[in-house]
């Protein structure tokens, strides 16, 4: 199953079909994203951290993230792209964690060129410090060498634009990571318009596809992104947790306002909807076959 998912993602990249990945912080969110028609799931560090109500700054352990990736991969049939932040250390750590993520059923990892511990990218005035290019090339090479399945995708992410280092540095880093063996390069921007990212995409002369996370510039549509011909994956980085948090905030407030649940019940997914997402059909099959 894992190998088939890996091949699916690898093939989408090879064919330059735009692959859409929605963030998830748990298997239920991943299942709902799959049902909505996304091609894959983004195992977001930001979402998982937010679901624990802690900053996205390597506060959670690698084990906590890995176990959530295992649970998500076991639940959905679409490829899962794991956000491994900076790789939880240096190239030695990367060599050890890649086989663990692969064994957990993940089809791709995204690793970023910031120092450990990281700070989240979209935080105002965040601490954005990058490691040396050569050091990160070593980490990418370690990831590529550590994979068991050749179709397991290694995505290198440069935070050069996030760190305010400019286009030249961003392009230099992206090319260096491609040279180190990355299958794709994620370029992130926190500008509120797509200009910065589109300038990078236009200047990109590398062979591998790019990956975009348009959180800060939501006006850029999938059609716009596909039209560049250079982007393989679009990641919606935090829309599951924001949707969930927003819905909880408004429903909880209404219950307090109304003094009961009478006003919210009809608009919520039913209890049977939830039981369905819990895999009720499968349990009924098991009951029918084995409970005597
Ligand atoms: C995440 O979702 O954890 C990401 C994307 O890495 S961002 O939060 O925009 O950095
Ligand atoms: Mg992240």
């Amino acid at each position: 199953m894992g190998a088939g998912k890996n091949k699916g993602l690898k093939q989408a990249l090879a064919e330059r079909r735009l692959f859409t990945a929605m963030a998830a912080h748990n298997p239920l969110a991943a299942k709902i994203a799959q049902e909505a028609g996304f091609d894959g799931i983004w195992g977001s560090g930001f979402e998982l951290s937010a679901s624990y109500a802690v900053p996205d700054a390597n506060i959670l352990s690698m084990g906590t993230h890995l176990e959530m990736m295992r649970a998500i991969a076991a639940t959905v049939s679409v490829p899962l792209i794991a956000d491994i932040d900076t790789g939880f250390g240096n190239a030695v750590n990367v060599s050890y964690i890649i086989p663990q993520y692969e064994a957990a059923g993940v089809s791709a990892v995204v690793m970023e060129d910031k120092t450990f511990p990281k700070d989240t990218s979209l935080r105002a005035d965040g601490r954005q410090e990058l490691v040396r290019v050569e050091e990160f090339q070593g980490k990418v090479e370690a990831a590529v060498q550590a994979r068991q399945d050749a179709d397991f995708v290694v995505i290198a992410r440069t935070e050069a634009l996030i760190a305010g280092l400019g286009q030249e540095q961003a392009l230099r880093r992206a090319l260096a990571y491609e040279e180190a063996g990355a299958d794709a390069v994620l370029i992130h921007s926190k500008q509120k318009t797509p200009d910065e990212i589109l300038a990078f995409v236009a200047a990109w002369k590398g062979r591998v596809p790019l990956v975009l996370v348009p959180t800060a510039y939501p006006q850029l549509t999938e059609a716009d992104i596909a039209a560049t011909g250079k982007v393989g994956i679009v990641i919606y980085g935090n829309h599951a947790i924001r949707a969930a948090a927003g819905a909880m905030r408004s429903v909880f407030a209404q219950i307090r306002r109304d003094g009961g649940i009478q006003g919210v019940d009809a608009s919520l997914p039913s209890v049977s909807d939830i039981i369905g997402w819990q895999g009720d059909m499968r349990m009924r099959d098991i009951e029918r076959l084995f409970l005597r």
Side-chain angles (χ1 to χ4, degrees):
M1 193 56 176
K5 290 186 197 177
N6 300 357
K7 204 177 270 308
L9 175 58
K10 190 73 182 273
Q11 208 157 332
L13 286 178
E15 292 168 7
R16 296 288 165 114
R17 259 187 282 129
L18 184 64
F19 184 97
T20 59
M22 173 51 74
H25 48 281
N26 63 26
L28 176 62
K31 211 167 187 180
I32 295 172
Q34 173 172 290
E35 278 181 20
F38 290 96
D39 300 315
I41 304 299
W42 168 236
S44 163
F46 178 88
E47 287 225 347
L48 188 64
S49 302
S51 75
Y52 277 77
V54 297
D56 176 26
N58 290 127
I59 308 297
L60 297 182
S61 71
M62 186 272 270
T64 301
H65 185 255
L66 178 63
E67 286 318 307
M68 186 56 75
M69 296 303 104
R70 199 187 310 282
I72 291 175
T75 304
V76 293
S77 56
V78 293
L80 170 60
I81 304 169
D83 175 7
I84 59 166
D85 292 337
T86 65
F88 302 99
N90 62 19
V92 177
N93 300 75
V94 172
S95 297
Y96 280 89
I97 69 166
I98 293 298
Q100 296 184 48
Y101 273 86
E102 203 176 334
V106 159
S107 296
V109 290
V110 170
M111 181 170 65
E112 66 199 48
D113 57 2
K114 289 205 286 239
T115 53
F116 178 92
K118 60 163 274 176
D119 194 358
T120 201
S121 304
L122 301 180
R123 176 174 175 233
D125 306 319
R127 292 165 286 105
Q128 307 298 340
E129 197 182 313
L130 273 50
V131 296
R132 288 175 299 108
V133 176
E134 298 72 24
E135 181 180 338
F136 197 69
Q137 279 185 307
K139 292 173 78 166
V140 173
E141 283 174 31
V144 168
Q145 287 226 355
R147 69 181 162 202
Q148 314 287 301
D149 178 3
D151 289 328
F152 182 84
V153 171
V154 173
I155 303 171
R157 161 173 170 176
T158 182
E159 294 282 283
L161 297 178
I162 293 284
L165 300 178
Q167 294 284 354
E168 199 186 315
Q169 175 77 211
L171 287 160
R172 192 167 76 79
R173 282 180 174 264
L175 281 172
Y177 304 159
E178 172 185 289
E179 192 190 306
D183 300 299
V185 173
L186 189 156
I187 177 73
H188 206 5
S189 166
K190 59 184 175 193
Q191 298 300 314
K192 299 220 173 334
T193 69
D195 303 354
E196 181 178 61
I197 217 77
L198 289 176
F200 180 96
V201 173
W204 175 240
K205 298 278 187 288
R207 287 171 289 105
V208 301
L210 298 171
V211 179
L212 301 189
V213 187
T215 307
Y217 46 92
Q219 58 276 51
L220 194 70
T221 65
E222 286 172 15
D224 299 331
I225 294 171
T228 67
K230 295 186 186 177
V231 180
I233 305 175
V234 59
I235 289 174
Y236 298 116
N238 49 37
H239 299 76
I241 197 78
R242 287 166 65 198
M248 284 189 269
R249 182 168 58 185
S250 85
V251 168
F252 297 170
Q254 188 177 343
I255 295 170
R256 289 304 347 116
R257 262 195 323 272
D258 294 351
I261 54 177
Q262 67 278 17
V264 298
D265 199 64
S267 66
L268 292 174
S270 66
V271 174
S272 355
D273 288 337
I274 301 290
I275 289 174
W277 279 316
Q278 287 175 296
D280 189 48
M281 299 280 272
R282 177 165 181 233
M283 184 165 145
R284 284 183 194 282
D285 285 344
I286 295 169
E287 285 170 337
R288 202 171 33 250
L289 285 169
F290 305 119
L291 282 190
R292 289 163 201 164

